Amino acid sequence: MTWALPAIAVVLLGFVAISGRVAGTPITAPIVFTVSGLLLGGEAFGVVDVHATAEIVKLLAEVTLALVLFSDAAHVDLAELRTEISLPARLLGIGLPLTIAAGFGAAAIVLGDLGWPEALLLAVILAPTDAALGQAVVTLPVLPMRIRQGLNVESGLNDGICVPLFLVVLAVAHAEAGTIGGGAAARLVTEQIGYGIVAGVGAGVLAAAVLVTSSRRRALDPLWAHTVPVTAALLAYTAAVPLGGSGFIAAFVGGLTFGALWRRADVDVGNAGHMIDEAGDLFSAVTFIVFGAVLLGPALGRLSWAVLGYALVSLTVVRMLPVALSLVGTHPRAPTVAFLGWFGPRGLATIVFAILIVEEPGELPHEELLLTTAVITIALSVLAHGLTAGPFANRYAAWSRDHPHPEARPAPDTRR
């Protein structure tokens, strides 16, 4: 571990030095960070030789997801979203459950060694999408707003929706494996969801009250306003955990609460979310480096045809068929269905879920197979969605200009 942190810092600085050159190319930041981590890991040069159960790995993953969940939720403007609610509502309300069902079925067929709770758990941890892996898809102004916003909102909310599902299915899997009793599992899940919601609402209300009240009294330094969302995310997480609640649920609920109250108050505090966005980006970058070094290297050594087959199915049929079914009745055109279906990259949330499974005190019967499959799927997604994001987005944008949607309208350039 002696040289791990300096090596990670050098990778980050190296990417900064070329970031302008690679912007808009198929070489994305997650690709660079994952490959760098793989080279630095114990399976290669051994500079970052840390086990997945190391406390620092768990802490990094948890802090990163908490920041991203809070930021994503806080950015959801329900009033603005109502004008374009149809697409993300279908992707989340119909596509997400169908994706989990399809992933469960595919795991039961392709990975026959998995018990049904483990197959369902794999489907849940691979259900959330990560817009950062194909950022051109949600940032290019030439793309139709409803497509960009639909994918952006889906990516921003489905990880928060999947957190309680993950907790429930993980508890069921451990109960089936006999590592915890059924009654204890039910109580654990109830406490994690309940206390998580309570802590999240409390942190969101307190942070919004501080920001709004101090702004109206002209007692707020704009520099310190940027720290409020970061502090609120950490407060939500750290308040939930001692109570027995899920810090991730708390962060997500806290972000929803904070964002709703802040916008309703209609006070001008500048870009108060600037710092949490940057902190989330930095921690996400480090997480992908650690993913390559700690998880991907060992997973490649356990790669099998069944694992590779499931990963390919997960990124194609398991995602694309549910998306197509969710759009039935909207008269979608084939290129739009294909574009929306393909861009469901797997990333940060799945990485954190995998690390949390490793950290559980009891081991699942086929935990190694489950984790290997999840890690290989993420790695393929980082590569495939990263390489295709720019070219496919430009091609679809050109097609959409020639075949405008009846309700299409211009949109500002928004980032996740």
Side-chain angles (χ1 to χ4, degrees), residues 13-255:
L13 290 174
F15 181 76
V16 170
I18 63 170
S19 56
R21 295 290 182 91
V22 301
T25 73
I27 306 301
T28 63
I31 290 177
V32 173
F33 296 139
T34 300
V35 172
S36 298
L38 184 62
L39 294 175
L40 293 174
E43 307 297 318
F45 293 107
V47 179
V48 182
D49 191 10
V50 184
H51 196 268
T53 57
E55 187 64 28
I56 191 170
V57 174
K58 179 185 178 184
L59 179 61
L60 169 66
E62 292 181 345
V63 170
T64 303
L65 187 57
L67 291 174
V68 171
L69 284 171
F70 188 98
S71 177
D72 286 344
H75 285 156
V76 175
D77 188 338
L78 296 177
E80 181 180 335
L81 186 59
R82 289 192 190 100
T83 62
E84 297 284 354
I85 190 63
S86 176
L87 179 57
R90 284 177 172 271
L91 292 175
L92 292 168
I94 301 175
L96 181 59
L98 289 178
T99 296
I100 294 174
F104 170 62
I109 296 171
V110 179
L111 304 171
D113 290 340
L114 294 182
W116 74 264
E118 295 170 314
L120 182 58
L121 183 60
L122 178 61
V124 170
I125 67 177
L126 286 174
T129 58
D130 186 350
L133 269 66
Q135 199 164 22
V137 175
V138 295
T139 58
L140 279 179
V142 293
L143 284 171
M145 177 185 181
R146 62 189 184 88
I147 301 299
R148 286 196 293 142
Q149 181 162 291
L151 290 172
N152 208 15
V153 172
E154 179 201 18
S155 175
L157 295 183
N158 62 10
D159 44 7
I161 294 172
C162 284
V163 166
L165 296 177
F166 169 76
L167 296 175
V168 170
V169 178
L170 180 61
V172 171
H174 277 289
E176 286 288 318
T179 55
I180 59 175
R187 184 173 64 254
L188 176 65
V189 169
T190 302
E191 290 177 350
Q192 286 185 319
I193 296 176
Y195 287 129
I197 292 174
V198 170
V201 171
V205 169
L206 178 60
V210 169
L211 192 64
V212 172
T213 302
S214 59
S215 176
R216 286 176 173 171
R217 293 180 176 178
R218 301 185 183 279
L220 178 67
D221 186 334
L223 179 63
W224 284 96
H226 294 172
T227 68
V228 173
V230 177
T231 306
L234 297 178
L235 174 61
Y237 187 92
T238 55
V241 172
L243 293 173
S246 166
F248 301 127
I249 292 177
F252 186 71
V253 173

Side-chain angles (χ1 to χ4, degrees), residues 86-99 154 319-332 337 340-341:
S86 176
L87 179 57
R90 284 177 172 271
L91 292 175
L92 292 168
I94 301 175
L96 181 59
L98 289 178
T99 296
E154 179 201 18
R319 161 70 182 184
M320 300 178 79
L321 182 58
V323 168
L325 292 174
S326 72
L327 298 177
V328 170
T330 64
H331 309 293
V337 175
L340 290 170

